[in-house]
Amino acid sequence: MKWSWRTFAPLLVWLVIYLVPVPAGLNANQWHYFAVFAAVITGLILESMPVGAVGLIGLTVAGVGGYVEPDPNKSLRWMLGGFSESTVWLIVGAFVFSIGYRKSGLGRRLALLLVRGLGRRTIGLGYAVAFSDLVLAPATPSNTARSGGTIYPIVSNIPRIYGSEPGPTAGKIGTFVMWTAFATTAVTSSLFLTALAPNAAALSIAKKLVNIEVGWSQWFIGFAPLGILLLLLVPLLSYAICRPEIKESPEIVTWSEGELTKMGPPSRHEWIMAVLVLLAMFLWICGSNPNINVPLLGSNFINATTVVFVVISLMLLTGVIAFEDIVAEKSAWEVFFYFTSLLTLSSGLNEIGFIKWVAEGYAKPLAGMSPFVGMILLVSFFFWIHYFFSSITSHAAAVLPVVLAVGSSIPGLSVQTLMLLCVYSLGLMGVISPYATGPAPMYYGSGYIGKGDFWKFGLIFGAIYFAGLLLIVLPWLQTIG
């Protein structure tokens, strides 16, 4: 490992925050834990070392320091708690799905079909990727399953067809294709109530706190003006920001036709993989959707992560993949350690009361402001504080009650509009960081989007999405009442 200023920058951030006097309302333990968290985020942004190592070191420091649990045994259990999180294993499973797509040849065949149909122009591929997510979104409550388990394994095969590999040649077309896929799933997750599991959880919280109910159609109508516009704009925005080197490639269409001819009819493993993918989609849609009842099994009969284990087991039994393939998938295990560490560290901020302190400290002064200013500031706070979270569900559970309580105390402020703006932002905010939502670690670890670029693109798209929320959705909600 080479030592540079990037290596020491996280240590400097930690030291500066550690030495700053503890703010009123916090104790030294809470403030020093935040210093560790800030150092880890700095290390990830600057790529001080492999992301898995940064997260693991930060988690170890927090555990040894006893910041969350002073008892050593309880502290160890806290450190290991993230390794049992279902979302983490869902992400790893999505990587294993990618192996199946790759080894069976199904991923390459589907990618070639997309390229043959829309590959003449790069922007056409972007819209094909966006449309694929849109079709699956209304019936897939897990965006990790949808984007990570279904979209990612297919689109990750597209750049290679154009000679764009992770690393130096990623900018040819790979960065554009992968970022378009990721940025799109953030939009579809907000467009449909059933496209993201935390949406329903947030509505349940809102119903208990302010007695407001929102149906599927009401949800869609309220967000549609922005959601549809963004679906049309995301490929164009990605094209402008990622700047793919390949703009048009008419010869690739002819080439892809020839490659499909060479591949011949689908192989046995391709057929098996296709059946297993359809099985996974069926179980994801029916098994985790409370509105769908499966004959003899009822609703909610299988967890989304359990589906991954079922399909992986069948892939192993049928010979589509070998266990050695799973062990050798470096990207999956790096993301496993990185995301597990970040999930645990960010949840620790909430457990020790740091998030509550930030929320209350920011929100209390708003009580005497005008309804319009109070609305803008509360929604801004709810959206951008997501940098402290790696779970949208925990974000909603920790911050939404505070925001709604403060909003209710401001005379003239529409609590229903405030609530809708907050819950609509849950999907959108997933674009801002490499740990903001389930699929993010996969695209971050793909090698097609530079680590620094991921943070930059996330900030740009996050700002665009947030501006749309205030400039389009807010006036629209006030218009339709």
Side-chain angles (χ1 to χ4, degrees):
M1 174 182 168
K2 293 182 179 179
W3 295 83
S4 68
W5 68 270
R6 296 174 186 270
T7 310
F8 293 101
L11 296 175
L12 180 61
V13 168
W14 169 79
L15 183 61
V16 169
I17 297 177
Y18 190 92
L19 295 177
V20 168
V22 179
L26 289 179
N27 58 43
N29 191 70
Q30 293 167 315
W31 186 241
H32 296 162
Y33 181 87
F34 173 67
V36 174
F37 184 82
V40 169
I41 299 302
T42 303
L44 292 176
I45 294 174
L46 297 179
E47 300 178 64
S48 302
M49 57 179 64
V51 292
V54 173
L56 190 60
I57 292 170
L59 184 62
T60 302
V61 171
V64 172
Y67 292 124
V68 177
E69 292 286 355
D71 179 85
N73 293 321
K74 291 182 178 179
S75 184
L76 177 61
R77 283 196 290 273
W78 169 78
M79 289 173 61
L80 298 176
F83 290 90
S84 63
E85 285 288 336
S86 62
T87 302
V88 174
W89 287 103
L90 189 57
I91 293 168
V92 173
F95 272 104
V96 179
F97 275 31
S98 296
I99 302 173
Y101 274 95
R102 188 171 64 245
K103 285 200 69 179
S104 68
L106 179 63
R108 177 174 169 79
R109 184 180 296 276
L110 293 174
L112 285 168
L113 288 169
L114 277 174
V115 169
R116 185 182 66 178
L118 294 161
R120 185 175 297 275
R121 299 184 64 193
T122 299
I123 192 68
L125 280 175
Y127 279 102
V129 169
F131 181 73
S132 300
D133 194 293
L134 175 63
V135 170
L136 297 174
T140 314
S142 169
N143 64 349
T144 307
R146 178 175 73 251
S147 188
T150 305
I151 303 297
Y152 175 88
I154 297 173
V155 301
S156 61
N157 286 274
I158 293 176
R160 291 184 169 89
I161 294 172
Y162 292 81
S164 182
E165 299 281 347
T169 59
K172 282 186 174 182
I173 197 172
T175 304
F176 164 72
V177 170
M178 300 302 275
W179 182 260
T180 300
F182 176 61
T184 298
T185 205
V187 177
T188 57
S189 293
S190 282
L191 182 58
F192 304 104
L193 170 59
T194 48
L196 185 71
N199 290 344
L203 289 182
S204 297
I205 293 171
K207 187 177 186 301
K208 291 178 182 177
L209 294 174
V210 292
N211 197 30
I212 296 174
E213 289 191 73
V214 179
W216 195 98
S217 59
Q218 289 174 295
W219 177 291
F220 178 79
I221 291 170
F223 190 75
L226 176 61
I228 294 171
L229 177 63
L230 288 178
L231 285 173
L232 296 174
L233 289 180
V234 162
L236 290 172
L237 291 170
S238 299
Y239 191 85
I241 292 171
C242 299
R243 300 178 182 177
E245 296 169 19
I246 298 173
K247 313 294 184 184
E248 294 187 18
S249 187
E251 69 279 359
I252 204 76
V253 176
T254 304
W255 175 86
S256 61
E257 179 70 47
E259 289 298 301
L260 284 167
T261 302
K262 288 180 186 177
M263 288 186 75
S267 65
R268 172 178 170 273
H269 279 171
E270 284 184 81
W271 281 116
I272 293 173
M273 187 66 198
V275 170
L276 293 179
V277 170
L278 291 174
L279 173 64
M281 289 303 303
F282 171 77
L283 294 176
W284 278 330
I285 292 170
C286 299
S288 56
N289 193 326
N291 298 316
I292 297 178
N293 286 302
V294 178
L296 303 180
L297 296 174
S299 63
N300 294 320
F301 67 89
I302 190 167
N303 180 275
T305 305
T306 308
V307 172
V308 168
F309 281 102
V310 169
V311 174
I312 290 175
S313 297
L314 292 173
M315 289 164 67
L316 290 167
L317 286 170
T318 55
V320 173
I321 64 172
F323 189 72
E324 291 77 10
D325 298 321
I326 300 176
V327 175
E329 187 66 13
K330 178 184 174 184
S331 297
W333 299 114
E334 183 175 48
V335 166
F336 175 73
F337 281 101
Y338 143 71
F339 189 66
T340 298
S341 304
L342 261 293
L343 187 67
T344 306
L345 285 169
S346 64
S347 66
L349 284 173
N350 192 38
E351 290 176 46
I352 63 175
F354 184 86
I355 297 297
K356 182 180 179 181
W357 172 79
V358 173
E360 292 180 347
Y362 176 91
K364 281 181 180 177
L366 303 183
M369 292 188 173
S370 70
F372 180 76
V373 174
M375 177 87 71
I376 299 299
L377 292 177
L378 283 171
V379 176
S380 302
F381 172 73
F382 187 82
F383 189 95
W384 294 107
I385 200 176
H386 193 59
Y387 275 115
F388 287 121
F389 290 91
S390 58
S391 165
I392 294 176
T393 302
S394 62
H395 177 161
V399 184
L400 187 59
V402 176
V403 169
L404 292 181
V406 175
S408 300
S409 69
I410 300 177
L413 185 145
S414 171
V415 178
Q416 182 170 6
T417 300
L418 173 64
M419 182 272 290
L420 284 170
L421 289 173
C422 288
V423 296
Y424 283 149
S425 71
L426 292 174
L428 298 178
M429 65 177 62
V431 81
I432 66 174
S433 77
Y435 52 87
T437 189
M442 291 199 67
Y443 292 95
Y444 183 64
S446 70
Y448 281 106
I449 306 170
K451 301 297 192 292
D453 284 341
F454 203 105
W455 289 93
K456 180 175 69 176
F457 296 163
L459 178 60
I460 293 171
F461 274 72
I464 292 170
Y465 290 177
F466 179 70
L469 202 63
L470 296 184
L471 298 177
I472 296 176
V473 178
L474 176 55
W476 171 245
L477 292 176
Q478 291 174 331
T479 300
I480 65 176

